[in-house]
Amino acid sequence: MAPALAFSRPANLTIITPFVMASLIDGKQIAQDIRGRIHSEINAIQAVSSEFNPSLVIIQVGARPDSSTYVKMKLNAAKEANISCELVSLPETTSQHELLSRISKLNAEPAVHGILVQLPLPAHIAEDKVTAAVSKEKDVDGFGPFNVGELNRRNGEPLYLPCTPKGIMELLAHAKVELNGANAVVLGRSDIVGAPVARLLQMANATVTVLHSKTQNIAQYVSTADVVVSAIGQAGFVQGSWLKPGCVVIDVGTNFVEDATKKSGSRMVGDVDFESAVKVASQVTPVPGGVGPMTVAMLLENVVIAAKRQHDASKHPKKFTNPLPLNLQTPVPSDFEISRDQEPKHITDVASEAGILDSELEPFGAYKAKVNLNLLDRLGNKRNGKYILVTGITPTPLGEGKSTTTVGLAQALGAHLHKNVFANVRQPSMGPTFGIKGGAAGGGYSQVIPMDEFNMHVTGDIHAISMANNLLAAAIDTRIFHENTQKDAALYKRLVPAKKGVRTFAKCFLNRLQKLGINKTEPNDLTEEEISRFVRLDIDPETITWRRVVDCNDRFLRGVTIGEAATEKGMTRSTGFDISVASECMAILALANSLEDMRDRLGRMVIGSSRAGVPVTCEDIGCAGALTALLKDAIKPNIMQTLEGTPVFVHAGPFANISIGASSILADKMALKLAGTSLDLSEEEAKEHEGYVVTEAGFDFTMGGERFINIKCRSSGLVPDVVVIVATVRALKVHGGGPEVKAGAPLAAEYTQENVELLRAGCSNLAKHISNAKQYGLPVVVAINQMSSDSASEHEVIREESLKAGADAAIVSNHWEEGGKGAVDLANGVIAASQQPKDFKFLYETSGSVEDRIATIAKEMYGAGAVEFSEIAQQKIATYTAQGFGNLPICIAKTQYSLSHDAALKGVPSGFTFPIRDVRASIGAGYLYALAAEIQTIPGLPTHCGFMNVEVNAEGEIDGLF
């Protein structure tokens, strides 16, 4: 209903009128035809895409009779058009906050394509706040600020036109009214009808005059109009005597006047005096039966547009067409200078370009955000994009550029080949950031930016991991203390307290009861024996493996004694700290497939054993729910961008020595869906439109790649399409017998001058990694990471040796100096390899003995001749097997600087005896890890630390990072 603007009726203007009656523009029939067309269109799409189901939700606050009538019309029309339509009826007392919360939930619901809030709303609710709350993708009423703003902007592109103005334009089109150059008068300037219809008429090249309650000589203006649109809410205001003969009249008014002949006592009339108007105008819309039905039809059409837009977007990713330009300089400046020199996109733009909805994005400032897991539900019917795994050869302490290659390859695929692409990288720990190694943002002109935000906290996930880990550590020692100082009855009373006279078991305790085989849910029903079994974990302090963590290199926390305060009554024990990323909580964050999966895994974490040898879990202690609460936001992947504006998921960062050393499964799954294509597309169409996800595994292929496939892929169900092995001339010369390379020390002449013989000898290490990768039945591309001291002859040697070893391609990439431009050849090689057939297989099955699986990895991947298990390792394996953990994948912790366990053995050592000194369990994460050497799980700081260079300048910017 158009609002009344209290127009004052002007003096009557008499004109000569023809005696031909105007024809009616039958909005009811036109709307019915449109609904029929919509129904047919939906049926046609559903014939090939059964999941296509346009859906509208109408929210009505209160029960105004007129609003209820309009809502009923919309519900009936939607049903007729084969559109799912749900009415959410809320009481008039609903608060603005409650209404906005309901809209927010609907915004995030992927099955809902359109949201309409029935107006008017109760006086205590601000309509502008409500219409603005509906996401622009679902604003099918066209009243939100985005769509209104775009409509009124020159060359604007609103997603939806407001329904009544759109319906008016549709009526004029059906009536074949020529608007180009016509004079149009619009009575009323409301945001709902008057203003937007005036704008649409202008866009159709009509000359438009808008009249309002303060306009003088209204009749005179009307008398010159070829088209009159009245939306003022005053019955019979416009007289036929004002009209220009042959004009077209669109009556938007819906007014009720008394009529004793009607059962209701009233009848609906428009703003135009119909009886006099039809004697002058050439065409007139009736009331009712004119604009009203068209408003509903246009609403349904907007819903279908929304559904088709989402459906089309889900078929294939948009091509990446908005790269950031690089200002390449020679010599290449520091990483930090390059990062600061680039102006990043706002993260909302990065996400939108990647296909992430506003409702799925949770910004943290301007350049980073979290992405809601609901995205996986929305895109669940898509096939995945191509999955590219970046690994390397056995590195030097300087690193060979896996992260830089990951980012450079993504930049090449997106910014230069216009593919939809994601780079997925780990979140860096502040241990190496403030220590010596530096962050993991890439380098040169292939970086994640802003690199200071990347290396400092990101969105705080690692801090959440630290809190969760340390809460469990505190709970373990507290439980031992209370069991040692209380009897069963007192323990039970405090563990299951009465609240308002009622005792109930928490969820975690129900799980423990089930584990104990106690099939009772009423606390008062347990026997004394059952109570004792329930409350007594009887943890053996000597078996506790759970340690506290801190995200900092601090060697003096490797061994500590806790419980020294007098209040702890002498209950001291020796323990230590790990770095936060070594926590099993971090491994679980990386390997979980959903929030529910993370909750289950956290509950399964084993922290030690009882004195009877029974494993004690986080669930037994009652901590799993709280840990999940601490990590409920951390499980959402973080999105950032590269120097060239392509999207990056930054999520999780398990300690690479004792875990998978890769980003999260959830980040990979999200990226693969965003880069994927619809199942409705043919194989050829999918190939044309598919995108790429470039993800990195820690260390070399033999460590990081092996774990990625045998542990991470087992959990995710995903399989890489290509393995990229990063090699450098420098590292291969080391494996050919070159001098030792040390961080911070000058390179020997062998590494700065051409030496083909030394290089060719070292290529045996590369050949071993290629051979190892080929065992999994996957295509392999060698990325030769170019450095300034390399020669073309040396690159050719690597290419020859790579192809001889079975690689599908070996390609030089200069992404460090040139960004994505320097990696285009590599990107094309990866695309070609990704189309090759795969014959994927795991290295081992999880059946059989733990010793056999360890031996398979050591012999097949490392080249060992035999495996030697220490006495403690044998005891641990026997214990884990007896406890039911003997069928898990294996992670072997060893040096990353050799294929063997000895960092001094370069090249391809073989026939050595591989020593296993200990075996530990990460039951929640889902693997056992064997220690082949002394691996420190909390590094120490060097003499000159990275933090010594870090300052904050007068503008509040961080200086001194890398």
Side-chain angles (χ1 to χ4, degrees), residues 205-218:
N205 296 319
T207 301
V208 183
T209 303
V210 179
L211 309 182
H212 50 80
S213 59
K214 305 300 182 183
T215 302
Q216 302 297 314
N217 301 320
I218 292 176

Side-chain angles (χ1 to χ4, degrees), residues 93-116:
T93 55
T94 300
S95 70
Q96 180 170 299
H97 174 73
E98 289 171 324
L99 178 55
L100 294 175
S101 296
R102 180 64 69 96
I103 292 171
S104 178
K105 291 177 181 177
L106 290 171
N107 283 338
E109 176 53 59
V112 174
H113 300 110
I115 302 170
L116 183 149

Side-chain angles (χ1 to χ4, degrees), residues 152-285:
N152 287 283
R153 184 173 68 85
R154 182 176 176 83
N155 299 321
E157 296 181 355
L159 294 177
Y160 312 101
L161 297 175
C163 300
T164 299
K166 182 180 179 181
I168 291 169
M169 299 305 290
E170 193 74 18
L171 287 172
L172 291 169
H174 270 77
K176 295 182 170 51
V177 176
E178 178 58 59
L179 294 175
N180 191 16
N183 288 324
V185 167
V186 177
L187 285 83
R189 54 182 174 180
S190 73
D191 292 336
I192 296 175
V193 181
V197 81
R199 176 63 182 142
L200 291 174
L201 288 165
Q202 287 177 332
M203 292 168 64
N205 296 319
T207 301
V208 183
T209 303
V210 179
L211 309 182
H212 50 80
S213 59
K214 305 300 182 183
T215 302
Q216 302 297 314
N217 301 320
I218 292 176
Q220 187 65 47
Y221 284 111
V222 172
S223 69
T224 64
D226 301 307
V227 176
V228 177
V229 179
S230 182
I232 60 173
Q234 292 189 31
F237 181 82
V238 178
Q239 299 297 301
S241 58
W242 304 355
L243 301 174
K244 177 181 178 180
C247 72
V248 177
V249 177
I250 305 295
D251 192 349
V252 189
T254 51
N255 312 288
F256 290 89
V257 297
E258 291 184 4
D259 188 340
T261 66
K262 300 293 183 182
K263 185 177 180 180
S264 63
S266 65
R267 63 185 172 89
M268 181 188 294
V269 298
D271 292 345
V272 178
D273 181 62
F274 185 79
E275 297 301 328
S276 61
V278 295
K279 297 176 181 178
V280 183
S282 62
Q283 299 187 79
V284 178
T285 57

Side-chain angles (χ1 to χ4, degrees), residues 731-742:
L732 291 173
K733 286 180 177 178
V734 168
H735 292 294
E740 184 178 3
V741 171
K742 294 183 179 179

Side-chain angles (χ1 to χ4, degrees), residues 70-92:
Y70 297 143
V71 167
K72 186 177 181 181
M73 288 171 53
K74 293 167 185 174
L75 291 170
N76 290 336
K79 183 178 181 180
E80 183 181 335
N82 195 21
I83 292 175
S84 298
C85 190
E86 176 189 354
L87 172 63
V88 176
S89 297
L90 301 176
E92 190 158 356

Side-chain angles (χ1 to χ4, degrees), residues 398 739-749 751-752:
L398 304 181
E740 184 178 3
V741 171
K742 294 183 179 179
L747 287 172
Y751 304 114
T752 59

Side-chain angles (χ1 to χ4, degrees), residues 910-934:
S910 62
F912 53 88
T913 297
F914 192 76
I916 299 296
R917 65 177 182 84
D918 196 2
V919 177
R920 298 175 185 172
S922 291
I923 303 305
Y927 57 82
L928 303 178
Y929 65 96
L931 282 71
E934 192 64 40

